[in-house]
């Protein structure tokens, strides 16, 4: 079953930034409900760029609590600040998704134990201190490292969401087929296979007609084994595309109301 | 080297339902049929025997034999079915059929009410005559007459579900949804019924099975597919499954034909035809088995006694 990670509760958006500044829970709740109704499986929560580490930690805990008071969905806790990550995990109900680690040793050593400790799933990016790899092979080598390290901490591949790093098609076009190939290969790394995810809207950064690019890429990536994506759950066309792709891939049983059923998880 | 027991981690389960004044429980499985080692089978599949509201016109003698004293009296027949140990009584309102007696809604509703009262706490399944239009007329009236009995009313189809669903919902009953050997239509019909406000845990679905030798494998794979869907989180397919075993098995010439020496004695093969069909569907994920011959039910129950023993490691 394809998992939508609703991207909207993010301090980069003006309304969320203002809600955080005013401690106003309403916009957070509203977006939680709206994204849940649109078929989200996870709610991404991101404080956005906020002044100090301590503030970020406190805000993350507030975002997680506020979102989970509104809906019964788990959160994808999205931050590079480990203190904020842990504060978010402390108040989270159910299984959270940590977003994210890379294949850098320091990050893996901090975040895999945290995932194991809180029983969380974790997004793992196929990059390290050298940056984003160019080829599918290099992405895969990093994915292998991530799977092996995660296993060392007792994290099952089914709780590991490998993100092969999607880059904008207008400036990094040659990455497209490499990402798709990496998605295919990641599924062969272990049994059970790791899960896969991506930041979907990266594919269309600063390009015209972003919705078309996003939904075309989503369908192609799902064919290659994409299990989830951080995406705009309220883009009806995009969600319809995910529903249709999952039907064509025989991931859920067809019926005439499949588009509606896809949103009622 | 040690052997590791492979256990699937299913994420969901079949809806748990309850029928009749006795709240007979059905469904709730969180694993494949009888795989107790990787999940729960909280309730055993249930059996029912059919009662016609008039003497059946097309039953073979062998099938009439165990009911010969009661064939013309649905109340006595229903009581006999209870005595024979069926978990549920299935009343088929055949007299409403335009080619049989074309009885009115009020007439069949009276019979249904009398039968429900005669069997006390035992849950009742009420079936129409199978003509979609007529069933759409009579079953809402029957639903009203049986208010409070929590019966399982069937069968609704894509053409007549509206009136029957509305009445069943209003008078506190459950429905059987029929679609012809097609998982996609079955799912869609469950959705349509649910959209009328009847909760999914008050629907049981009937894939319109074929018996052994007459298309059993189609129904088998549909049941399997539905169970996998239920276990992997598809709520619209997580409704218990009804198998009309007796109706189909006793249409087979291997069951009906007394004179066929090359097939051995009818008494053996007819019972085995029905029991084998039931066992096959139990292995595919069936929950409610509507049967006709008490001896087949006995054989089937003996099988279930064994299959329900836990094989957990």
């Amino acid at each position: 079953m394809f998992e939508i990670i609703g991207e909207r509760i993010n301090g980069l958006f003006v309304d969320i930034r203002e809600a955080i500044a005013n401690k106003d829970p309403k916009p957070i709740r509203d977006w939680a409900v709206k994204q849940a109704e649109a078929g989200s499986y996870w709610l991404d929560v991101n404080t956005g760029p906020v002044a100090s580490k301590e503030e970020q930690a406190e805000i993350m805990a507030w975002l997680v609590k506020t979102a989970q008071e509104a809906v019964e969905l788990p959160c994808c806790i999205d931050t590079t600040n480990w203190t904020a990550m842990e504060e978010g995990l402390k108040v989270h109900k159910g299984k959270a998704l940590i977003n994210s680690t890379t294949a850098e040793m320091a990050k893996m050593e901090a975040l895999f134990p945290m995932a194991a400790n809180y029983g969380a799933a974790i997004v793992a990016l196929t990059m390290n201190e050298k940056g984003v790899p160019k080829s599918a092979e290099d992405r895969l080598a990093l994915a292998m490292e991530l799977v092996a390290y995660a296993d060392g901490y007792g994290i099952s591949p089914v709780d590991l969401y490998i993100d092969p790093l999607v880059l904008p098609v207008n400036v990094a076009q040659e990455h497209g087929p490499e990402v798709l190939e990496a998605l295919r290969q990641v599924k062969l790394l272990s049994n059970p296979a790791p899960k896969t995810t991506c930041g979907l809207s990266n594919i269309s950064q600063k390009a015209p007609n972003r919705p078309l690019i996003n939904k075309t890429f989503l369908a192609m990536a799902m064919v290659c084994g994409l299990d989830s994506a951080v995406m705009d759950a309220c883009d009806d066309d995009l969600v319809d595309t995910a529903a249709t792709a999952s039907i064509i891939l025989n991931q859920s049983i067809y019926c005439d109301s499949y588009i509606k059923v896809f949103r009622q998880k | 080297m040690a052997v590791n027991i492979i256990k699937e981690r299913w994420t969901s389960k079949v809806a748990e339902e309850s029928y009749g004044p006795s709240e007979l429980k059905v469904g709730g499985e969180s694993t494949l049929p009888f795989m107790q080692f990787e999940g729960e089978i909280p309730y055993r599949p249930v059996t029912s025997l059919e009662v016609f509201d008039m003497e059946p016109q097309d039953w073979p003698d062998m099938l009439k034999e165990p009911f010969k004293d009661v064939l013309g009296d649905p109340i006595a027949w229903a009581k006999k079915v209870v005595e024979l140990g069926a978990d549920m009584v299935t009343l088929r309102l055949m007299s409403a059929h335009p080619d049989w007696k074309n009885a009115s809604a009020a007439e069949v509703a009276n019979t249904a009410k009398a039968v429900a009262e005669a069997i006390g706490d035992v849950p009742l399944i009420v079936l129409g005559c199978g003509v979609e239009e007529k069933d759409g007329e009579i079953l809402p009236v029957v639903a009203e007459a049986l208010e409070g009995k929590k019966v399982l009313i069937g069968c609704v189809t894509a053409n007549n579900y509206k009136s029957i669903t509305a009445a069943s919902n209003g008078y506190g009953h459950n429905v059987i949804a029929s679609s012809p050997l097609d998982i996609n239509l079955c799912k869609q019909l469950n959705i349509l019924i649910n959209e009328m406000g009847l909760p999914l845990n008050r629907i049981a679905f009937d894939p319109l099975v074929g018996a052994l030798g007459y298309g059993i494998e189609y129904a088998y794979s549909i049941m399997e597919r539905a169970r996998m869907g239920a276990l992997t989180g598809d709520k619209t397919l997580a409704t218990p499954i009804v198998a009309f075993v007796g109706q189909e098995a006793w249409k087979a010439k291997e069951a009906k034909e007394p004179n066929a020496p090359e097939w051995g004695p009818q008494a053996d093969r007819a019972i085995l035809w029905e029991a084998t069909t039931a066992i096959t569907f139990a292995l595919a994920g069936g929950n409610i088995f509507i049967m006709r011959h008490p001896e087949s039910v006995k054989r089937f129950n003996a099988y279930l006694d064994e299959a329900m023993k836990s094989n957990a490691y």
Side-chain angles (χ1 to χ4, degrees), chain B residues 85-101:
Chain B
D87 302 311
M88 302 179 82
V89 173
T90 297
L91 175 65
R92 197 183 277 268
L93 301 170
M94 254 349 258
S95 69
H97 198 292
D99 297 343
W100 289 36
K101 277 189 178 166

Side-chain angles (χ1 to χ4, degrees), chain B:
Chain B
M1 247 173 52
V3 174
N4 217 350
I5 304 302
I6 309 287
K7 294 180 184 177
E8 189 68 51
R9 282 167 32 182
W10 300 108
T11 53
S12 196
K13 57 183 186 172
V14 178
E16 187 176 306
E17 309 200 345
S18 69
Y19 310 128
S22 66
E23 308 272 347
L24 178 71
K25 297 273 199 295
V26 169
E29 300 94 337
S30 58
T31 180
L32 293 172
F34 311 119
M35 299 249 190
Q36 292 99 334
F37 68 91
E38 62 177 32
E40 301 278 314
I41 311 277
Y43 310 110
R44 169 192 168 102
V46 298
T47 58
S48 180
L49 280 167
E50 283 189 39
V51 173
F52 277 40
D53 67 342
M54 58 176 283
E55 183 154 349
Q57 296 177 355
D58 50 0
W59 281 21
D61 290 343
M62 187 187 153
L63 184 53
K64 285 184 182 166
E65 177 60 28
F67 305 108
K68 60 177 188 289
D69 313 330
V70 294
L71 283 176
D73 179 354
I75 293 171
W77 189 349
K79 283 183 179 162
K80 177 141 202 173
V81 160
V82 172
E83 272 167 37
L84 287 166
D87 302 311
M88 302 179 82
V89 173
T90 297
L91 175 65
R92 197 183 277 268
L93 301 170
M94 254 349 258
S95 69
H97 198 292
D99 297 343
W100 289 36
K101 277 189 178 166
N102 203 20
S104 70
E107 285 173 80
V108 294
N110 274 340
T111 311
K113 198 172 178 190
V115 167
E117 266 152 27
I119 61 175
D121 273 357
V122 177
L124 183 65
I125 298 173
V126 180
L127 305 175
C129 61
V131 176
E132 288 174 326
E133 220 171 61
K134 185 75 189 266
D135 287 351
E137 277 169 39
I138 62 168
L139 291 177
V141 180
V142 172
E144 185 179 358
L146 294 175
E147 183 169 10
K149 297 282 184 190
K150 290 187 175 177
V151 304
L152 195 47
I153 295 187
C155 292
V156 308
T157 67
N159 299 322
N160 69 5
Y161 73 91
K162 284 186 182 159
S163 62
I164 305 170
T165 301
S168 300
N169 200 4
Y171 296 108
H173 303 302
N174 311 280
V175 303
I176 302 176
S178 292
S179 20
L181 288 174
D182 183 323
I183 191 84
N184 310 117
L185 295 179
C186 150
K187 180 167 172 174
Q188 185 66 21
L189 184 56
N190 277 357
I191 293 166
L192 293 173
I193 293 171
N194 181 234
E195 278 174 354
M196 289 190 67
L198 191 73
L200 284 164
N201 67 0
R202 282 171 58 192
I203 306 172
F205 89 78
D206 157 32
L208 287 165
V209 302
L212 178 63
Y214 297 84
I216 197 171
E217 64 275 33
Y218 296 98
Y220 185 95
S221 60
I222 283 171
M223 287 186 192
E224 225 174 21
R225 191 96 199 277
R227 175 63 75 86
M228 303 281 264
L231 297 180
T232 53
D234 190 336
K235 303 249 179 316
T236 58
L237 277 171
T239 53
I241 302 175
V242 182
F244 285 93
V245 171
Q247 165 192 298
E248 295 304 314
W250 288 94
K251 269 190 226 163
K253 51 184 185 297
E254 291 83 351
K256 275 194 307 200
E257 179 56 56
N259 305 311
E262 68 277 25
W263 293 338
Q266 186 196 15
D268 293 341
R269 63 178 137 85
I271 296 302
L272 285 174
W273 219 262
E274 189 174 19
T276 306
T277 301
I279 290 168
T280 305
F281 289 139
L283 289 169
N287 300 87
I288 301 166
F289 292 81
I290 302 182
M291 303 179 64
R292 287 195 173 163
H293 202 290
E295 186 56 32
S296 318
V297 172
K298 216 189 270 175
R299 302 271 182 110
F300 181 47
N301 270 323
Y303 174 84
L304 291 179
D305 289 342
E306 290 301 315
M308 285 302 292
K309 286 179 187 163
S310 173
N311 52 25
Y313 287 92

Side-chain angles (χ1 to χ4, degrees), chain A residues 63-75 91-94:
Chain A
L63 285 177
V64 168
K65 271 196 279 185
T66 309
Q68 288 201 310
E69 273 161 17
V71 295
E72 278 183 35
L73 287 187
C75 293
V91 298
H92 189 273
K93 288 182 283 186

Side-chain angles (χ1 to χ4, degrees), chain A residues 1 156 158-159 247 250 252-258 260-261 264-265, chain B residues 9 183-185 187-188 191-192 195 225-226 229 232-234 236-237:
Chain A
M1 198 181 293
S156 158
V158 295
D159 285 335
I247 285 291
N250 196 19
S252 63
I253 293 175
Y254 176 86
C255 69
D256 290 347
S257 306
Y258 74 87
K260 189 174 171 190
V261 171
Q264 299 169 332
K265 272 169 284 201
Chain B
R9 282 167 32 182
I183 191 84
N184 310 117
L185 295 179
K187 180 167 172 174
Q188 185 66 21
I191 293 166
L192 293 173
E195 278 174 354
R225 191 96 199 277
T232 53
D234 190 336
T236 58
L237 277 171

